[in-house]
Amino acid sequence: MGTTSRPRTTGVLLLDLEQQRDWLAGKIDLPDAGDRSESLEQRFKYVARFEKLLSRPQAGEVLEILGLYGPNCIPLLRKTERYYWSVSCLPSTSDKPLVRVNASWMELFTLYAQGDDIRARFIVHLSDFTTDRSATPSRVDEPFLEQSVAMPEDVSYFFPRDADIFGINVRGSVSIRKLLGSRRVVRAIRTFNLTHMNRGRNAYQASHCYSVADYMQAD
Protein backbone atom coordinates (compact mmCIF):
# COMPACT_ATOMS: atom_id res chain seq x y z
CA MET A 1 0.00 0.00 0.00
CA GLY A 2 1.37 3.41 -0.93
CA THR A 3 1.34 6.41 1.34
CA THR A 4 -0.13 9.81 0.68
CA SER A 5 2.29 12.75 0.40
CA ARG A 6 0.70 16.13 0.90
CA PRO A 7 2.01 19.56 -0.11
CA ARG A 8 4.87 21.14 1.76
CA THR A 9 3.47 24.49 2.83
CA THR A 10 6.57 26.23 4.10
CA GLY A 11 5.44 29.80 3.46
CA VAL A 12 8.00 30.61 0.76
CA LEU A 13 5.17 32.24 -1.18
CA LEU A 14 4.56 34.80 1.57
CA LEU A 15 1.25 33.17 2.42
CA ASP A 16 0.17 31.68 5.71
CA LEU A 17 -1.11 28.12 5.86
CA GLU A 18 -4.76 29.18 5.95
CA GLN A 19 -4.34 31.27 2.78
CA GLN A 20 -2.65 28.37 1.03
CA ARG A 21 -5.39 25.93 2.02
CA ASP A 22 -8.14 28.37 0.98
CA TRP A 23 -6.48 28.93 -2.41
CA LEU A 24 -6.17 25.19 -2.98
CA ALA A 25 -9.87 24.87 -2.28
CA GLY A 26 -10.73 27.76 -4.60
CA LYS A 27 -12.17 29.83 -1.76
CA ILE A 28 -10.03 32.97 -2.22
CA ASP A 29 -8.20 35.01 -4.84
CA LEU A 30 -4.66 35.68 -3.70
CA PRO A 31 -3.34 39.29 -3.43
CA ASP A 32 -0.87 39.26 -6.31
CA ALA A 33 1.57 42.02 -7.26
CA GLY A 34 0.17 44.86 -9.37
CA ASP A 35 3.15 44.98 -11.72
CA ARG A 36 5.49 42.32 -13.04
CA SER A 37 9.19 42.43 -12.27
CA GLU A 38 10.82 41.99 -15.66
CA SER A 39 14.31 41.72 -17.16
CA LEU A 40 14.46 43.25 -20.65
CA GLU A 41 17.62 41.30 -21.34
CA GLN A 42 15.80 38.07 -20.49
CA ARG A 43 12.82 39.08 -22.65
CA PHE A 44 14.97 39.80 -25.72
CA LYS A 45 16.90 36.56 -25.21
CA TYR A 46 13.94 34.46 -26.38
CA VAL A 47 12.18 36.77 -28.85
CA ALA A 48 13.37 34.72 -31.83
CA ARG A 49 12.08 31.48 -30.31
CA PHE A 50 8.75 33.11 -29.54
CA GLU A 51 8.42 34.33 -33.13
CA LYS A 52 9.20 30.81 -34.31
CA LEU A 53 6.46 29.48 -32.02
CA LEU A 54 4.00 32.00 -33.48
CA SER A 55 4.70 30.60 -36.95
CA ARG A 56 3.52 27.13 -35.87
CA PRO A 57 -0.10 26.11 -36.62
CA GLN A 58 -0.56 25.18 -32.94
CA ALA A 59 0.45 28.61 -31.59
CA GLY A 60 -3.05 29.96 -31.00
CA GLU A 61 -4.18 26.92 -29.03
CA VAL A 62 -0.93 26.82 -27.04
CA LEU A 63 -1.26 30.43 -25.90
CA GLU A 64 -4.96 30.08 -25.10
CA ILE A 65 -4.39 26.94 -23.03
CA LEU A 66 -1.58 28.71 -21.15
CA GLY A 67 -4.04 31.55 -20.52
CA LEU A 68 -6.25 29.04 -18.70
CA TYR A 69 -3.45 27.24 -16.89
CA GLY A 70 -1.57 30.28 -15.56
CA PRO A 71 -4.26 32.16 -13.59
CA ASN A 72 -6.01 28.98 -12.44
CA CYS A 73 -3.05 26.81 -11.47
CA ILE A 74 -0.17 29.02 -10.32
CA PRO A 75 -0.37 31.00 -7.05
CA LEU A 76 0.66 34.67 -7.03
CA LEU A 77 1.37 34.50 -10.74
CA ARG A 78 3.08 37.89 -11.07
CA LYS A 79 4.84 37.96 -7.72
CA THR A 80 6.44 34.55 -8.28
CA GLU A 81 7.16 34.82 -12.03
CA ARG A 82 10.54 33.47 -13.15
CA TYR A 83 11.92 33.10 -9.62
CA TYR A 84 9.44 30.44 -8.43
CA TRP A 85 8.02 29.27 -11.76
CA SER A 86 9.00 29.71 -15.39
CA VAL A 87 7.79 28.89 -18.87
CA SER A 88 10.22 27.96 -21.64
CA CYS A 89 9.57 28.38 -25.37
CA LEU A 90 10.62 25.59 -27.75
CA PRO A 91 13.11 24.22 -25.20
CA SER A 92 15.98 22.20 -26.66
CA THR A 93 15.11 18.84 -25.15
CA SER A 94 14.80 15.50 -26.92
CA ASP A 95 10.99 15.35 -26.61
CA LYS A 96 10.66 18.62 -28.61
CA PRO A 97 7.99 20.46 -26.62
CA LEU A 98 6.37 23.69 -27.71
CA VAL A 99 6.32 25.11 -24.17
CA ARG A 100 7.10 23.81 -20.69
CA VAL A 101 6.25 25.17 -17.24
CA ASN A 102 8.64 24.39 -14.38
CA ALA A 103 9.02 25.12 -10.68
CA SER A 104 11.96 24.29 -8.42
CA TRP A 105 13.59 21.32 -10.23
CA MET A 106 10.27 19.90 -11.42
CA GLU A 107 8.36 19.91 -14.69
CA LEU A 108 4.75 20.94 -14.06
CA PHE A 109 3.07 21.15 -17.47
CA THR A 110 4.18 20.65 -21.06
CA LEU A 111 2.50 21.17 -24.43
CA TYR A 112 3.52 19.38 -27.61
CA ALA A 113 2.50 19.48 -31.26
CA GLN A 114 0.25 16.68 -32.49
CA GLY A 115 -0.34 17.33 -36.15
CA ASP A 116 -1.93 20.76 -36.28
CA ASP A 117 -3.38 20.23 -32.80
CA ILE A 118 -1.64 19.80 -29.43
CA ARG A 119 -1.22 17.31 -26.63
CA ALA A 120 -0.36 17.96 -23.00
CA ARG A 121 1.53 16.35 -20.14
CA PHE A 122 0.56 17.19 -16.57
CA ILE A 123 2.68 16.16 -13.58
CA VAL A 124 0.68 15.83 -10.36
CA HIS A 125 0.49 13.83 -7.12
CA LEU A 126 -0.65 10.24 -7.68
CA SER A 127 -2.65 10.33 -4.43
CA ASP A 128 -4.95 12.98 -5.92
CA PHE A 129 -5.98 10.55 -8.67
CA THR A 130 -6.55 7.29 -6.82
CA THR A 131 -9.83 5.95 -5.50
CA ASP A 132 -8.58 5.77 -1.91
CA ARG A 133 -6.24 8.83 -1.86
CA SER A 134 -3.20 6.57 -1.51
CA ALA A 135 -0.10 6.66 -3.70
CA THR A 136 -0.85 3.16 -4.97
CA PRO A 137 -0.56 2.76 -8.76
CA SER A 138 -3.20 0.02 -8.95
CA ARG A 139 -5.77 2.38 -7.40
CA VAL A 140 -5.76 4.98 -10.20
CA ASP A 141 -9.29 6.34 -10.70
CA GLU A 142 -9.51 5.57 -14.41
CA PRO A 143 -13.25 6.30 -14.76
CA PHE A 144 -12.70 9.81 -13.37
CA LEU A 145 -9.84 10.49 -15.78
CA GLU A 146 -11.88 9.25 -18.75
CA GLN A 147 -14.85 11.39 -17.74
CA SER A 148 -12.62 14.46 -17.46
CA VAL A 149 -11.76 14.55 -21.18
CA ALA A 150 -13.80 14.68 -24.39
CA MET A 151 -13.14 11.06 -25.38
CA PRO A 152 -11.78 8.28 -23.13
CA GLU A 153 -9.02 7.49 -25.60
CA ASP A 154 -7.70 11.06 -25.25
CA VAL A 155 -6.20 10.36 -21.83
CA SER A 156 -3.41 8.06 -20.69
CA TYR A 157 -1.05 8.06 -17.74
CA PHE A 158 2.35 6.94 -16.52
CA PHE A 159 4.28 6.63 -13.28
CA PRO A 160 7.55 8.56 -12.90
CA ARG A 161 10.09 7.03 -10.55
CA ASP A 162 9.51 9.30 -7.55
CA ALA A 163 6.94 8.35 -4.94
CA ASP A 164 3.50 9.94 -5.25
CA ILE A 165 4.23 11.44 -8.68
CA PHE A 166 1.79 10.83 -11.52
CA GLY A 167 1.93 11.82 -15.18
CA ILE A 168 -1.22 12.46 -17.22
CA ASN A 169 -1.12 12.67 -21.03
CA VAL A 170 -4.03 14.37 -22.77
CA ARG A 171 -4.54 14.44 -26.51
CA GLY A 172 -6.23 17.36 -28.27
CA SER A 173 -7.03 20.93 -27.26
CA VAL A 174 -10.70 20.10 -26.63
CA SER A 175 -9.83 17.46 -24.05
CA ILE A 176 -7.12 19.63 -22.47
CA ARG A 177 -9.66 22.41 -21.98
CA LYS A 178 -12.20 20.02 -20.49
CA LEU A 179 -9.63 18.62 -18.06
CA LEU A 180 -8.73 22.14 -16.94
CA GLY A 181 -12.44 22.76 -16.33
CA SER A 182 -12.64 20.05 -13.67
CA ARG A 183 -12.60 21.41 -10.12
CA ARG A 184 -10.98 18.26 -8.77
CA VAL A 185 -8.26 18.33 -11.43
CA VAL A 186 -7.51 22.02 -10.90
CA ARG A 187 -7.20 21.49 -7.17
CA ALA A 188 -4.80 18.60 -7.77
CA ILE A 189 -2.69 20.70 -10.15
CA ARG A 190 -2.65 23.58 -7.65
CA THR A 191 -1.57 21.22 -4.89
CA PHE A 192 1.34 19.84 -6.88
CA ASN A 193 2.44 23.27 -8.11
CA LEU A 194 2.29 24.79 -4.64
CA THR A 195 4.27 21.86 -3.23
CA HIS A 196 7.15 22.49 -5.60
CA MET A 197 7.06 26.28 -5.55
CA ASN A 198 7.31 26.07 -1.77
CA ARG A 199 10.53 24.08 -2.09
CA GLY A 200 12.49 27.16 -3.09
CA ARG A 201 13.77 29.12 -6.03
CA ASN A 202 13.14 27.90 -9.56
CA ALA A 203 16.14 26.18 -11.16
CA TYR A 204 15.02 27.17 -14.68
CA GLN A 205 15.03 30.96 -14.36
CA ALA A 206 17.47 31.36 -17.24
CA SER A 207 15.06 29.72 -19.69
CA HIS A 208 12.03 31.85 -18.80
CA CYS A 209 10.33 33.37 -21.84
CA TYR A 210 8.49 36.58 -20.92
CA SER A 211 6.77 36.74 -24.31
CA VAL A 212 5.03 33.41 -23.64
CA ALA A 213 4.39 34.34 -20.01
CA ASP A 214 2.52 37.44 -21.23
CA TYR A 215 -0.30 35.10 -22.27
CA MET A 216 -0.42 33.44 -18.86
CA GLN A 217 -1.25 36.60 -16.96
CA ALA A 218 -4.73 36.95 -15.50
CA ASP A 219 -5.45 40.15 -17.44
Side-chain angles (χ1 to χ4, degrees), residues 2-197:
T3 57
T4 299
S5 172
R6 303 319 309 155
R8 293 177 57 181
T9 48
T10 61
V12 167
L13 300 179
L14 308 179
L15 301 170
D16 61 36
L17 294 181
E18 183 177 359
Q19 286 177 307
Q20 294 186 48
R21 294 188 187 108
D22 285 347
W23 179 74
L24 289 175
K27 295 179 179 179
I28 61 170
D29 293 323
L30 295 176
D32 204 356
D35 298 314
R36 295 162 69 190
S37 175
E38 183 179 329
S39 162
L40 290 178
E41 179 182 1
Q42 182 74 16
R43 177 177 284 275
F44 290 139
K45 183 178 179 181
Y46 292 107
V47 165
R49 286 197 191 187
F50 179 66
E51 291 176 347
K52 186 176 180 180
L53 175 66
L54 291 181
S55 71
R56 302 286 183 91
Q58 307 88 359
E61 287 293 347
V62 166
L63 297 175
E64 287 187 19
I65 293 294
L66 287 174
L68 295 174
Y69 184 91
N72 290 312
C73 301
I74 298 177
L76 300 175
L77 192 62
R78 294 185 175 195
K79 190 177 293 185
T80 57
E81 182 178 3
R82 186 181 175 193
Y83 298 105
Y84 289 97
W85 67 270
S86 63
V87 59
S88 53
C89 181
L90 301 175
S92 302
T93 54
S94 59
D95 55 339
K96 299 181 179 180
L98 297 172
V99 296
R100 174 170 286 141
V101 181
N102 291 91
S104 185
W105 291 91
M106 178 63 67
E107 170 191 343
L108 304 179
F109 178 56
T110 304
L111 291 172
Y112 302 90
Q114 180 164 320
D116 287 345
D117 203 348
I118 56 176
R119 59 186 174 89
R121 180 167 69 196
F122 298 85
I123 307 297
V124 288
H125 289 296
L126 172 58
S127 53
D128 284 322
F129 289 90
T130 53
T131 55
D132 61 356
R133 306 289 291 180
S134 72
T136 307
S138 62
R139 300 294 179 88
V140 170
D141 192 346
E142 292 184 351
F144 170 72
L145 286 173
E146 292 176 354
Q147 293 163 12
S148 298
V149 294
M151 300 290 290
E153 59 267 28
D154 288 344
V155 66
S156 62
Y157 57 86
F158 62 98
F159 303 102
R161 293 181 180 179
D162 294 342
D164 201 21
I165 305 293
F166 187 51
I168 302 174
N169 296 313
V170 183
R171 184 181 65 185
S173 57
V174 173
S175 283
I176 297 168
R177 289 173 186 274
K178 184 174 181 183
L179 193 80
L180 286 171
S182 163
R183 183 175 299 179
R184 175 178 167 185
V185 170
V186 169
R187 177 163 184 158
I189 294 171
R190 287 184 171 195
T191 300
F192 188 82
N193 293 358
L194 183 62
T195 297
H196 290 279
M197 291 173 71

